[in-house]
Amino acid sequence: MKTISKENISTLLSYDKDSGIFTWKERLGNTKSDNIFNSLFARTVAGSKLTSKRSKTEYIAIKIHGKSYKAHRLAFLIMEGEMPDQVDHLDRNGLNNKWSNLRRSNNKDNSKNKPIQKSNKTGVVGVNWHKAAGKWHARAVNKEGKRIDLGRYDDFEEAVKVRKMYEVEYGYYQHREEVDV
């Protein structure tokens, strides 16, 4: 299987960093397969919308040389010459591949910035009702990516305040969904 490189990808795809859209480039050869490809795909949007089975996140995947690549990783290859292991979408929209919306990431950072889970009943990430204690429980993820206990509180607002203070102190992304990208 061919290894994908910045030089190789640049002959196949165009990436518009302002829209985040990839388009197929015209193939320069004059073979029958090049002519068929050009008539069907050249200058058309590349990729398909897929949904991750694990996280249920939607993203764009582009198949090159028989292998599927996530478009946000290809954006890094084109813009910086390498593909990071993980890419974070600042607005949490896996379909938005604008360069201004992407950042290099890792498991530790991604664990800090998960969207609120559907099962969350409080509307605040990291704060839940601890039934056995009869108190509000605040939790977070530390620098090593491990869940930590921030305490139990009689008052919901106090638990939220403690959680928000931790987010600020340890570099969680505040109001990510409000980022203008």
Side-chain angles (χ1 to χ4, degrees), residues 57-142:
T57 303
E58 292 183 321
Y59 60 90
I60 302 294
I62 301 172
K63 194 172 240 184
I64 300 169
H65 304 308
K67 184 173 179 189
S68 185
Y69 295 92
K70 292 179 179 176
H72 50 268
R73 294 186 71 228
L74 292 175
F76 266 88
L77 181 59
I78 290 170
M79 298 298 288
E80 295 190 351
E82 64 181 25
M83 283 194 285
D85 291 331
Q86 291 188 28
V87 175
D88 188 24
H89 291 80
L90 296 175
D91 67 357
R92 294 187 181 139
N93 176 357
L95 302 174
N96 179 0
N97 291 308
K98 294 177 186 175
W99 185 243
S100 61
N101 188 46
L102 304 177
R103 74 170 180 98
R104 185 180 300 269
S105 190
N106 56 46
N107 277 336
K108 192 168 42 175
D109 286 343
N110 277 344
S111 68
K112 291 181 190 176
N113 298 301
K114 290 181 180 175
I116 198 162
Q117 295 185 0
K118 290 180 183 177
S119 61
N120 183 306
K121 293 182 173 86
T122 66
V124 179
V125 174
V127 176
N128 65 293
W129 177 252
H130 193 284
K131 193 173 185 178
K135 295 184 182 256
W136 292 101
H137 187 198
R139 296 184 295 180
V141 176
N142 69 11

